[in-house]
Amino acid sequence: MDAQFRTYRECDYPALSDFLVELNREDKSHVNWNWARLEWMIEHPEFDRGAAGSIGLWLAGEKVVGAAIYDMYFGEAFCAALPEYAALYPEILDYAYRELKDEAGLGISVCDGNLFEIGEAKRAGFVLTEQKETVMSIELDGELSSSLPDGLTLKELHHEKDAETLQWLFWQGFDHGGDRAEFERSDKGVSHLRMHFRKELSLGAMTPDGEGAAYCCLWFREGTDYAYVEPVCTIPAYRGRGAAKALLYEALNRARALGANRAYVISDQVFYEKLGFRKDRTFSFYWKK
């Protein structure tokens, strides 16, 4: 069946999410862009929602078979098509460059083992750079054991009901400082869409006074065989005590019970390596000005 092009509408979100599930079902050369990364990004306060109508979709009937998605802002994009629609890839690249670039051009990340996409990117005028993205993974083939530091308790945190707690934790955990007044003045954004959020995989380590000390969230959908780690953070006062490790291991154990046999994280940090994650794939960025 021929594919028809149109731009993204909010009602297309389930079909776009399903596209990313299918894209990563067998071949994990696009696992740096999976359904969970999309879901995390779209509700992130830094995501440029006003430009969402520029996302390009290629559809066979109601099914998304190809997509060009910008990453937070214009200037970087993800481009892919289902294997049986690989002939669309040059058209997808062309659209992404025309519509999703910024003043510096457009960068796309391509798996270092995907020779077809590398060749097409080069033919389209994209040039290899030194910028890379690493995906690490861990096999979930047994129970992982770790405990929270004394004085901290485990709590499942909901992205809407516990929004203030989470936002303050993120503010400190991602090194914006400890000034509560400055945090209160900041534009915290609003969570828009978490269709597949699972509270049992959203875990906080809480202090005796109810403040968040560390956080870990995993994403898992029935019908897939992997979990995705995003985000993990610890506030400065509690770093180095094992809180994030305990939360991550507990979340991984829960994801395993739900059916995940592997978990992925986009990172090359030693923190994950120490916890048993290993480099799975690398993705190089190709740029066109």
Side-chain angles (χ1 to χ4, degrees):
M1 181 185 296
D2 291 336
Q4 302 297 316
F5 170 82
R6 65 174 167 80
T7 54
Y8 175 83
R9 302 172 299 193
E10 192 166 347
C11 63
D12 292 318
Y13 178 79
L16 180 56
S17 180
D18 289 346
F19 162 73
L20 293 172
V21 169
E22 186 168 347
L23 186 68
N24 289 290
R25 193 176 305 282
E26 301 295 336
D27 177 8
K28 296 298 194 291
S29 65
H30 298 98
V31 75
N32 65 322
W33 268 91
N34 56 67
W35 71 268
R37 177 172 178 171
L38 175 74
E39 189 149 316
W40 170 253
M41 181 184 78
I42 279 185
E43 65 82 35
H44 196 283
E46 293 185 12
F47 177 67
D48 185 0
R49 292 183 60 82
S54 297
I55 293 172
L57 302 180
W58 285 256
L59 297 98
E62 297 300 314
K63 178 180 179 179
V64 176
V65 298
I69 309 168
Y70 62 94
D71 186 1
M72 290 297 220
Y73 308 94
F74 284 3
E76 291 187 11
F78 169 72
C79 300
L82 297 179
E84 59 269 34
Y85 289 89
L88 291 172
Y89 191 68
E91 180 182 338
I92 295 171
L93 283 178
D94 178 66
Y95 175 83
Y97 179 70
R98 286 187 289 106
E99 302 297 333
L100 304 181
K101 68 177 182 288
D102 64 9
E103 62 277 2
L106 182 73
I108 58 170
S109 63
V110 181
C111 181
D112 289 343
N114 194 324
L115 300 182
F116 168 74
E117 291 188 1
I118 291 172
E120 292 301 322
K122 289 180 177 179
R123 273 187 280 275
F126 287 83
V127 177
L128 176 66
T129 69
E130 295 183 358
Q131 183 181 353
K132 286 189 175 291
E133 188 171 60
T134 299
V135 172
M136 302 178 78
S137 67
I138 186 171
E139 297 291 335
L140 303 181
D141 51 9
E143 194 79 6
L144 297 164
S145 179
S146 184
S147 58
L148 284 171
D150 291 343
L152 296 181
T153 56
L154 182 73
K155 182 180 180 180
E156 296 177 358
L157 296 174
H158 191 275
H159 67 101
E160 292 178 333
K161 295 178 182 178
D162 300 300
E164 185 77 7
T165 297
L166 281 168
Q167 289 162 352
W168 175 227
L169 203 166
F170 292 156
W171 180 270
Q172 299 172 89
F174 291 111
D175 297 322
H176 295 292
D179 187 333
R180 183 78 188 218
E182 182 182 356
F183 163 73
E184 296 292 347
R185 291 192 298 269
S186 69
D187 180 6
K188 305 177 189 64
V190 178
S191 181
H192 294 280
L193 178 65
R194 281 193 170 180
M195 184 176 294
H196 304 99
F197 174 81
R198 304 186 75 121
K199 186 181 176 184
E200 69 268 35
L201 299 180
S202 173
L203 305 179
M206 313 303 292
T207 67
D209 59 3
E211 294 288 323
Y215 179 72
C216 172
C217 187
L218 260 62
W219 302 81
F220 176 76
R221 272 184 68 176
E222 293 182 3
T224 67
D225 62 358
Y226 60 89
Y228 175 66
V229 182
E230 181 73 59
V232 177
C233 67
T234 305
I235 68 173
Y238 282 87
R239 288 175 184 167
R241 304 188 192 184
K245 174 183 178 180
L247 292 178
L248 180 56
Y249 275 8
E250 175 63 23
L252 290 171
N253 288 334
R254 294 183 180 197
R256 177 172 171 265
L258 291 170
N261 58 40
R262 178 178 292 191
Y264 295 98
V265 63
I266 300 176
S267 179
D268 59 0
Q269 293 182 20
V270 174
F271 167 77
Y272 291 105
E273 186 175 355
K274 288 181 177 179
L275 300 188
F277 284 80
R278 296 293 178 261
K279 182 182 291 187
D280 193 290
R281 284 173 172 78
T282 56
F283 298 79
S284 294
F285 277 79
Y286 294 76
W287 283 83
K288 183 176 180 180
K289 295 183 178 181

